[in-house]
Amino acid sequence: MRLPIGRLSLLCRCRIIFLSLVFWVMSWFPLPLFFQLQDTEAVVVRRTPAKTHRVVRQTTRRTVRRVKVGTRISVLPRGCTTIRKSGRVYYLCDGAYYLPYYEGTTLVYVVVDAP
Amino acid sequence: MNAYLSRFSLLIVFACLIFAPSLYAGQQSQAGVDPRADQVIKQMSRYLDTLGQFTIHLKNTEDRLTPSGRKVQYESTVDVLVRRPDRLRADIKGDDRLQQFFYDGENLILFGKDKGLYSAAQAPDTLEAALDMAREEYGIVVPAADMVANHAYEILMENVTYGEYLGLHTVSGIPCHHLLFSQDEVDWQLWVEDSKTPVPRKMVITERLVAGGPQFTAHFLNWNLSADLPDEYFIFLPPELAEKIEFVPAETENN
């Protein structure tokens, strides 16, 4: 999908180039679970000499770091701070609030709105 | 995570139910089940019914599949303390968890020691009812501890379609009746001690339909058949820095 780069503002162009670089780098690593975005995905199949990669390119105008409320993970990312409010404990990681629950005997963390 | 849970749970339910006092008599042998195998399970259930207080040390290994489909194995140990009719505790140490489970006659508590988080729910006043509730409402199956069901034999054999008596084999030098059962998705083997105390010594569950046939093995070690278990063992005192969280009700879980 080719973007008409010439017609966009400088800021827009910079964002697009920056994001493209980020995604290109990220394609070499498993996509972290908490980087789930709401916008549409374009699936690109790219052939390399050895094998075929499947690269998921997400087109978005928002920042990469927004996490959808309701996302569930089983391991917290690094660098979280603990927050206590209304008798409950939350973890704040990269701008997202996680509430811990026991699902059966497994601990899960669910993204919630800011308490 | 869900594959792990279901396999673990299945094994554990199985392990737990073995110990339930089985007042259920007159169970017909299932079609396709060798009567000798059926008889061994019955004897084991009846014997375990007679135990009032006991402890077991379980040493488990569990196969899991990595995202790339490779089979890897993890270990865990569980110490279970049971005092019928209304006390239970399980201490679980695994490669990915350190947990305690308490039932004190009034509450069920799950404490994640490694995370400093615990959850509690009010529970009925018998072990059987409490563990039913834990399983049905919260999806919690307590390791080797769901042993109060009055229909232990029936529950164990309920979905079994095939049963075979494989012979008298040894587990760590102990002669045991080696049994094989099959049901929809799994085969399970049980080794029941051939003695006046017919307790289970080993169990292996094989997921027959999954590539690689992942297994869950439980070794039942250090049976203490007449333990002395005072009340304090079953009381949970939250450590100072521990936080209370909630259980997710079972029906809202995504599978």
Side-chain angles (χ1 to χ4, degrees):
Chain A
M1 183 165 116
R2 298 186 67 192
L3 298 169
I5 294 216
R7 299 222 182 123
L8 299 170
S9 71
L10 178 64
L11 184 60
C12 238
R13 263 184 271 170
C14 287
R15 266 192 209 153
I16 286 167
I17 290 168
F18 171 71
L19 285 175
S20 303
L21 282 174
V22 168
F23 286 124
W24 179 78
V25 169
M26 281 170 69
S27 71
W28 291 102
F29 301 96
L31 199 64
L33 281 175
F34 48 88
F35 283 166
Q36 287 181 18
L37 303 174
Q38 278 174 304
D39 290 359
T40 53
E41 298 180 357
V43 176
V44 176
V45 177
R46 189 179 69 203
R47 285 199 182 278
T48 67
K51 53 197 170 175
T52 302
H53 286 292
R54 231 175 152 222
V55 176
V56 177
R57 183 196 298 164
Q58 288 153 329
T59 58
T60 175
R61 292 193 201 112
R62 289 184 279 169
T63 65
V64 174
R65 283 163 176 252
R66 184 79 66 92
V67 187
K68 187 175 173 181
V69 169
T71 304
R72 297 144 77 99
I73 59 174
S74 51
V75 180
L76 284 177
R78 293 212 187 139
C80 299
T81 55
T82 306
I83 297 189
R84 279 166 203 85
K85 194 138 188 208
S86 317
R88 294 177 127 181
V89 63
Y90 299 84
Y91 301 99
L92 176 57
C93 320
D94 284 338
Y97 288 88
Y98 293 87
L99 182 65
Y101 280 108
Y102 274 117
E103 195 175 82
T105 55
T106 303
L107 192 57
V108 297
Y109 304 92
V110 182
V111 178
V112 295
D113 294 315
Chain B
M1 182 183 87
N2 286 327
Y4 160 67
L5 194 64
S6 65
R7 229 176 299 142
F8 187 77
S9 304
L10 181 64
L11 174 76
I12 296 311
V13 167
F14 177 93
C16 299
L17 293 173
I18 297 174
F19 308 111
S22 171
L23 306 174
Y24 195 82
Q27 170 72 24
Q28 299 282 345
S29 283
Q30 311 252 349
V33 176
D34 185 329
R36 280 177 302 172
D38 191 79
Q39 185 59 25
V40 170
I41 295 276
K42 255 192 212 144
Q43 263 178 355
M44 180 188 74
S45 293
R46 271 196 226 119
Y47 173 71
L48 291 168
D49 290 355
T50 68
L51 303 176
Q53 298 185 56
F54 59 96
T55 68
I56 330 156
H57 180 74
L58 292 172
K59 183 161 176 279
N60 304 327
T61 62
E62 188 200 13
D63 292 335
R64 294 184 216 172
L65 297 177
T66 66
S68 55
R70 296 178 171 89
K71 194 166 73 172
V72 294
Q73 192 177 86
Y74 293 89
E75 275 194 11
S76 60
T77 63
V78 187
D79 284 288
V80 185
L81 291 70
V82 177
R83 194 180 84 185
R84 294 200 182 113
D86 56 5
R87 294 291 190 276
L88 180 145
R89 175 162 148 197
D91 291 357
I92 305 141
K93 291 182 188 65
D95 287 328
D96 63 348
R97 64 182 63 200
L98 186 64
Q99 293 178 327
Q100 288 179 306
F101 184 89
F102 293 83
Y103 170 63
D104 62 5
E106 290 175 1
N107 299 293
L108 288 171
I109 296 142
L110 176 63
F111 176 42
K113 275 178 112 165
D114 48 351
K115 299 289 195 307
L117 300 171
Y118 69 96
S119 193
Q122 277 199 308
D125 59 4
T126 64
L127 186 48
E128 174 194 17
L131 292 169
D132 276 348
M133 185 200 91
R135 183 175 54 249
E136 279 154 32
E137 289 198 24
Y138 303 115
I140 292 173
V141 184
V142 183
D146 196 3
M147 40 189 95
V148 191
N150 283 331
H151 312 293
Y153 170 81
E154 190 184 41
I155 292 171
L156 271 176
M157 300 301 280
E158 183 183 2
N159 298 309
V160 165
T161 53
Y162 173 81
E164 197 178 327
Y165 182 86
L166 296 175
L168 208 57
H169 298 154
T170 57
V171 173
S172 303
I174 303 167
C176 295
H177 301 288
H178 184 182
L179 313 175
L180 166 67
F181 297 99
S182 285
Q183 46 194 74
D184 264 354
E185 293 179 357
V186 299
D187 299 328
W188 47 276
Q189 298 167 72
L190 188 66
W191 286 257
V192 178
E193 190 174 314
D194 176 34
S195 73
K196 291 199 178 87
T197 57
V199 297
R201 282 290 172 187
K202 188 164 110 174
M203 175 169 46
V204 173
I205 296 183
T206 307
E207 285 187 81
R208 191 176 62 239
L209 303 179
V210 177
Q215 291 185 325
F216 194 129
T217 302
H219 288 92
F220 298 79
L221 308 168
N222 304 347
W223 278 90
N224 184 344
L225 299 168
S226 54
D228 181 28
L229 305 172
D231 281 348
E232 302 90 77
Y233 284 23
F234 304 99
I235 296 175
F236 172 64
L237 296 169
E240 201 177 307
L241 297 176
E243 305 276 358
K244 188 163 189 290
I245 66 176
E246 301 296 322
F247 287 115
V248 175
E251 57 266 16
T252 68
E253 286 174 16
N254 300 325
N255 274 330

mmCIF file with all atom_site columns, all heavy atoms in Angstrom, chain B residues 77-89:
data_model
loop_
_atom_site.group_PDB
_atom_site.id
_atom_site.type_symbol
_atom_site.label_atom_id
_atom_site.label_alt_id
_atom_site.label_comp_id
_atom_site.label_asym_id
_atom_site.label_entity_id
_atom_site.label_seq_id
_atom_site.pdbx_PDB_ins_code
_atom_site.Cartn_x
_atom_site.Cartn_y
_atom_site.Cartn_z
_atom_site.occupancy
_atom_site.B_iso_or_equiv
_atom_site.pdbx_formal_charge
_atom_site.auth_seq_id
_atom_site.auth_comp_id
_atom_site.auth_asym_id
_atom_site.auth_atom_id
_atom_site.pdbx_PDB_model_num
ATOM 1   N N   . THR B 1 77 ? 6.065   -29.099 42.660 1.00 0.00 ? 77 THR B N   1
ATOM 2   C CA  . THR B 1 77 ? 5.745   -29.952 43.803 1.00 0.00 ? 77 THR B CA  1
ATOM 3   C C   . THR B 1 77 ? 4.541   -29.364 44.516 1.00 0.00 ? 77 THR B C   1
ATOM 4   O O   . THR B 1 77 ? 4.336   -28.145 44.519 1.00 0.00 ? 77 THR B O   1
ATOM 5   C CB  . THR B 1 77 ? 6.905   -30.047 44.813 1.00 0.00 ? 77 THR B CB  1
ATOM 6   O OG1 . THR B 1 77 ? 7.159   -28.757 45.353 1.00 0.00 ? 77 THR B OG1 1
ATOM 7   C CG2 . THR B 1 77 ? 8.152   -30.591 44.177 1.00 0.00 ? 77 THR B CG2 1
ATOM 8   N N   . VAL B 1 78 ? 3.748   -30.238 45.081 1.00 0.00 ? 78 VAL B N   1
ATOM 9   C CA  . VAL B 1 78 ? 2.575   -29.801 45.825 1.00 0.00 ? 78 VAL B CA  1
ATOM 10  C C   . VAL B 1 78 ? 2.539   -30.555 47.140 1.00 0.00 ? 78 VAL B C   1
ATOM 11  O O   . VAL B 1 78 ? 2.667   -31.773 47.166 1.00 0.00 ? 78 VAL B O   1
ATOM 12  C CB  . VAL B 1 78 ? 1.270   -30.082 45.057 1.00 0.00 ? 78 VAL B CB  1
ATOM 13  C CG1 . VAL B 1 78 ? 0.089   -29.461 45.784 1.00 0.00 ? 78 VAL B CG1 1
ATOM 14  C CG2 . VAL B 1 78 ? 1.346   -29.572 43.628 1.00 0.00 ? 78 VAL B CG2 1
ATOM 15  N N   . ASP B 1 79 ? 2.363   -29.827 48.227 1.00 0.00 ? 79 ASP B N   1
ATOM 16  C CA  . ASP B 1 79 ? 2.140   -30.455 49.524 1.00 0.00 ? 79 ASP B CA  1
ATOM 17  C C   . ASP B 1 79 ? 0.680   -30.247 49.898 1.00 0.00 ? 79 ASP B C   1
ATOM 18  O O   . ASP B 1 79 ? 0.217   -29.104 49.954 1.00 0.00 ? 79 ASP B O   1
ATOM 19  C CB  . ASP B 1 79 ? 3.051   -29.822 50.586 1.00 0.00 ? 79 ASP B CB  1
ATOM 20  C CG  . ASP B 1 79 ? 4.472   -30.303 50.444 1.00 0.00 ? 79 ASP B CG  1
ATOM 21  O OD1 . ASP B 1 79 ? 4.717   -31.479 50.768 1.00 0.00 ? 79 ASP B OD1 1
ATOM 22  O OD2 . ASP B 1 79 ? 5.317   -29.515 49.993 1.00 0.00 ? 79 ASP B OD2 1
ATOM 23  N N   . VAL B 1 80 ? -0.007  -31.327 50.109 1.00 0.00 ? 80 VAL B N   1
ATOM 24  C CA  . VAL B 1 80 ? -1.437  -31.252 50.400 1.00 0.00 ? 80 VAL B CA  1
ATOM 25  C C   . VAL B 1 80 ? -1.684  -31.740 51.812 1.00 0.00 ? 80 VAL B C   1
ATOM 26  O O   . VAL B 1 80 ? -1.167  -32.783 52.216 1.00 0.00 ? 80 VAL B O   1
ATOM 27  C CB  . VAL B 1 80 ? -2.249  -32.125 49.423 1.00 0.00 ? 80 VAL B CB  1
ATOM 28  C CG1 . VAL B 1 80 ? -3.737  -31.925 49.669 1.00 0.00 ? 80 VAL B CG1 1
ATOM 29  C CG2 . VAL B 1 80 ? -1.893  -31.806 47.990 1.00 0.00 ? 80 VAL B CG2 1
ATOM 30  N N   . LEU B 1 81 ? -2.481  -30.974 52.536 1.00 0.00 ? 81 LEU B N   1
ATOM 31  C CA  . LEU B 1 81 ? -2.892  -31.372 53.881 1.00 0.00 ? 81 LEU B CA  1
ATOM 32  C C   . LEU B 1 81 ? -4.407  -31.429 53.889 1.00 0.00 ? 81 LEU B C   1
ATOM 33  O O   . LEU B 1 81 ? -5.062  -30.473 53.479 1.00 0.00 ? 81 LEU B O   1
ATOM 34  C CB  . LEU B 1 81 ? -2.436  -30.334 54.917 1.00 0.00 ? 81 LEU B CB  1
ATOM 35  C CG  . LEU B 1 81 ? -0.951  -30.178 55.216 1.00 0.00 ? 81 LEU B CG  1
ATOM 36  C CD1 . LEU B 1 81 ? -0.193  -29.568 54.061 1.00 0.00 ? 81 LEU B CD1 1
ATOM 37  C CD2 . LEU B 1 81 ? -0.763  -29.304 56.449 1.00 0.00 ? 81 LEU B CD2 1
ATOM 38  N N   . VAL B 1 82 ? -4.939  -32.534 54.339 1.00 0.00 ? 82 VAL B N   1
ATOM 39  C CA  . VAL B 1 82 ? -6.399  -32.684 54.372 1.00 0.00 ? 82 VAL B CA  1
ATOM 40  C C   . VAL B 1 82 ? -6.836  -33.127 55.750 1.00 0.00 ? 82 VAL B C   1
ATOM 41  O O   . VAL B 1 82 ? -6.264  -34.066 56.322 1.00 0.00 ? 82 VAL B O   1
ATOM 42  C CB  . VAL B 1 82 ? -6.894  -33.726 53.349 1.00 0.00 ? 82 VAL B CB  1
ATOM 43  C CG1 . VAL B 1 82 ? -8.421  -33.896 53.463 1.00 0.00 ? 82 VAL B CG1 1
ATOM 44  C CG2 . VAL B 1 82 ? -6.522  -33.310 51.947 1.00 0.00 ? 82 VAL B CG2 1
ATOM 45  N N   . ARG B 1 83 ? -7.831  -32.424 56.288 1.00 0.00 ? 83 ARG B N   1
ATOM 46  C CA  . ARG B 1 83 ? -8.460  -32.854 57.528 1.00 0.00 ? 83 ARG B CA  1
ATOM 47  C C   . ARG B 1 83 ? -9.952  -32.826 57.285 1.00 0.00 ? 83 ARG B C   1
ATOM 48  O O   . ARG B 1 83 ? -10.551 -31.761 57.177 1.00 0.00 ? 83 ARG B O   1
ATOM 49  C CB  . ARG B 1 83 ? -8.085  -31.910 58.671 1.00 0.00 ? 83 ARG B CB  1
ATOM 50  C CG  . ARG B 1 83 ? -8.427  -32.485 60.048 1.00 0.00 ? 83 ARG B CG  1
ATOM 51  C CD  . ARG B 1 83 ? -8.056  -31.529 61.145 1.00 0.00 ? 83 ARG B CD  1
ATOM 52  N NE  . ARG B 1 83 ? -9.103  -30.549 61.375 1.00 0.00 ? 83 ARG B NE  1
ATOM 53  C CZ  . ARG B 1 83 ? -8.988  -29.527 62.217 1.00 0.00 ? 83 ARG B CZ  1
ATOM 54  N NH1 . ARG B 1 83 ? -7.860  -29.343 62.875 1.00 0.00 ? 83 ARG B NH1 1
ATOM 55  N NH2 . ARG B 1 83 ? -9.990  -28.682 62.388 1.00 0.00 ? 83 ARG B NH2 1
ATOM 56  N N   . ARG B 1 84 ? -10.496 -34.010 57.144 1.00 0.00 ? 84 ARG B N   1
ATOM 57  C CA  . ARG B 1 84 ? -11.928 -34.067 56.876 1.00 0.00 ? 84 ARG B CA  1
ATOM 58  C C   . ARG B 1 84 ? -12.686 -33.690 58.139 1.00 0.00 ? 84 ARG B C   1
ATOM 59  O O   . ARG B 1 84 ? -12.210 -33.970 59.241 1.00 0.00 ? 84 ARG B O   1
ATOM 60  C CB  . ARG B 1 84 ? -12.317 -35.470 56.406 1.00 0.00 ? 84 ARG B CB  1
ATOM 61  C CG  . ARG B 1 84 ? -11.698 -35.813 55.076 1.00 0.00 ? 84 ARG B CG  1
ATOM 62  C CD  . ARG B 1 84 ? -12.442 -36.936 54.392 1.00 0.00 ? 84 ARG B CD  1
ATOM 63  N NE  . ARG B 1 84 ? -11.820 -37.296 53.133 1.00 0.00 ? 84 ARG B NE  1
ATOM 64  C CZ  . ARG B 1 84 ? -11.223 -38.452 52.889 1.00 0.00 ? 84 ARG B CZ  1
ATOM 65  N NH1 . ARG B 1 84 ? -11.149 -39.369 53.832 1.00 0.00 ? 84 ARG B NH1 1
ATOM 66  N NH2 . ARG B 1 84 ? -10.704 -38.693 51.705 1.00 0.00 ? 84 ARG B NH2 1
ATOM 67  N N   . PRO B 1 85 ? -13.852 -33.103 58.037 1.00 0.00 ? 85 PRO B N   1
ATOM 68  C CA  . PRO B 1 85 ? -14.596 -32.852 56.810 1.00 0.00 ? 85 PRO B CA  1
ATOM 69  C C   . PRO B 1 85 ? -14.419 -31.470 56.206 1.00 0.00 ? 85 PRO B C   1
ATOM 70  O O   . PRO B 1 85 ? -15.025 -31.182 55.178 1.00 0.00 ? 85 PRO B O   1
ATOM 71  C CB  . PRO B 1 85 ? -16.055 -32.962 57.307 1.00 0.00 ? 85 PRO B CB  1
ATOM 72  C CG  . PRO B 1 85 ? -16.003 -32.398 58.697 1.00 0.00 ? 85 PRO B CG  1
ATOM 73  C CD  . PRO B 1 85 ? -14.642 -32.779 59.241 1.00 0.00 ? 85 PRO B CD  1
ATOM 74  N N   . ASP B 1 86 ? -13.622 -30.616 56.855 1.00 0.00 ? 86 ASP B N   1
ATOM 75  C CA  . ASP B 1 86 ? -13.717 -29.217 56.415 1.00 0.00 ? 86 ASP B CA  1
ATOM 76  C C   . ASP B 1 86 ? -12.417 -28.420 56.482 1.00 0.00 ? 86 ASP B C   1
ATOM 77  O O   . ASP B 1 86 ? -12.419 -27.222 56.749 1.00 0.00 ? 86 ASP B O   1
ATOM 78  C CB  . ASP B 1 86 ? -14.788 -28.490 57.233 1.00 0.00 ? 86 ASP B CB  1
ATOM 79  C CG  . ASP B 1 86 ? -14.495 -28.590 58.733 1.00 0.00 ? 86 ASP B CG  1
ATOM 80  O OD1 . ASP B 1 86 ? -13.430 -29.130 59.096 1.00 0.00 ? 86 ASP B OD1 1
ATOM 81  O OD2 . ASP B 1 86 ? -15.335 -28.134 59.522 1.00 0.00 ? 86 ASP B OD2 1
ATOM 82  N N   . ARG B 1 87 ? -11.279 -29.077 56.247 1.00 0.00 ? 87 ARG B N   1
ATOM 83  C CA  . ARG B 1 87 ? -10.027 -28.324 56.216 1.00 0.00 ? 87 ARG B CA  1
ATOM 84  C C   . ARG B 1 87 ? -9.156  -28.858 55.085 1.00 0.00 ? 87 ARG B C   1
ATOM 85  O O   . ARG B 1 87 ? -9.046  -30.065 54.891 1.00 0.00 ? 87 ARG B O   1
ATOM 86  C CB  . ARG B 1 87 ? -9.241  -28.461 57.530 1.00 0.00 ? 87 ARG B CB  1
ATOM 87  C CG  . ARG B 1 87 ? -9.886  -27.846 58.737 1.00 0.00 ? 87 ARG B CG  1
ATOM 88  C CD  . ARG B 1 87 ? -9.897  -26.327 58.647 1.00 0.00 ? 87 ARG B CD  1
ATOM 89  N NE  . ARG B 1 87 ? -10.289 -25.693 59.891 1.00 0.00 ? 87 ARG B NE  1
ATOM 90  C CZ  . ARG B 1 87 ? -11.551 -25.494 60.285 1.00 0.00 ? 87 ARG B CZ  1
ATOM 91  N NH1 . ARG B 1 87 ? -12.542 -25.889 59.505 1.00 0.00 ? 87 ARG B NH1 1
ATOM 92  N NH2 . ARG B 1 87 ? -11.812 -24.925 61.441 1.00 0.00 ? 87 ARG B NH2 1
ATOM 93  N N   . LEU B 1 88 ? -8.521  -27.904 54.401 1.00 0.00 ? 88 LEU B N   1
ATOM 94  C CA  . LEU B 1 88 ? -7.596  -28.308 53.354 1.00 0.00 ? 88 LEU B CA  1
ATOM 95  C C   . LEU B 1 88 ? -6.563  -27.214 53.130 1.00 0.00 ? 88 LEU B C   1
ATOM 96  O O   . LEU B 1 88 ? -6.848  -26.033 53.245 1.00 0.00 ? 88 LEU B O   1
ATOM 97  C CB  . LEU B 1 88 ? -8.352  -28.537 52.042 1.00 0.00 ? 88 LEU B CB  1
ATOM 98  C CG  . LEU B 1 88 ? -7.479  -28.962 50.871 1.00 0.00 ? 88 LEU B CG  1
ATOM 99  C CD1 . LEU B 1 88 ? -8.240  -29.935 50.009 1.00 0.00 ? 88 LEU B CD1 1
ATOM 100 C CD2 . LEU B 1 88 ? -7.039  -27.771 50.032 1.00 0.00 ? 88 LEU B CD2 1
ATOM 101 N N   . ARG B 1 89 ? -5.379  -27.651 52.800 1.00 0.00 ? 89 ARG B N   1
ATOM 102 C CA  . ARG B 1 89 ? -4.358  -26.687 52.399 1.00 0.00 ? 89 ARG B CA  1
ATOM 103 C C   . ARG B 1 89 ? -3.466  -27.343 51.353 1.00 0.00 ? 89 ARG B C   1
ATOM 104 O O   . ARG B 1 89 ? -3.145  -28.527 51.440 1.00 0.00 ? 89 ARG B O   1
ATOM 105 C CB  . ARG B 1 89 ? -3.520  -26.288 53.599 1.00 0.00 ? 89 ARG B CB  1
ATOM 106 C CG  . ARG B 1 89 ? -2.369  -25.388 53.194 1.00 0.00 ? 89 ARG B CG  1
ATOM 107 C CD  . ARG B 1 89 ? -1.805  -24.659 54.356 1.00 0.00 ? 89 ARG B CD  1
ATOM 108 N NE  . ARG B 1 89 ? -0.377  -24.447 54.155 1.00 0.00 ? 89 ARG B NE  1
ATOM 109 C CZ  . ARG B 1 89 ? 0.466   -24.126 55.106 1.00 0.00 ? 89 ARG B CZ  1
ATOM 110 N NH1 . ARG B 1 89 ? 0.032   -24.007 56.335 1.00 0.00 ? 89 ARG B NH1 1
ATOM 111 N NH2 . ARG B 1 89 ? 1.732   -23.946 54.831 1.00 0.00 ? 89 ARG B NH2 1
#
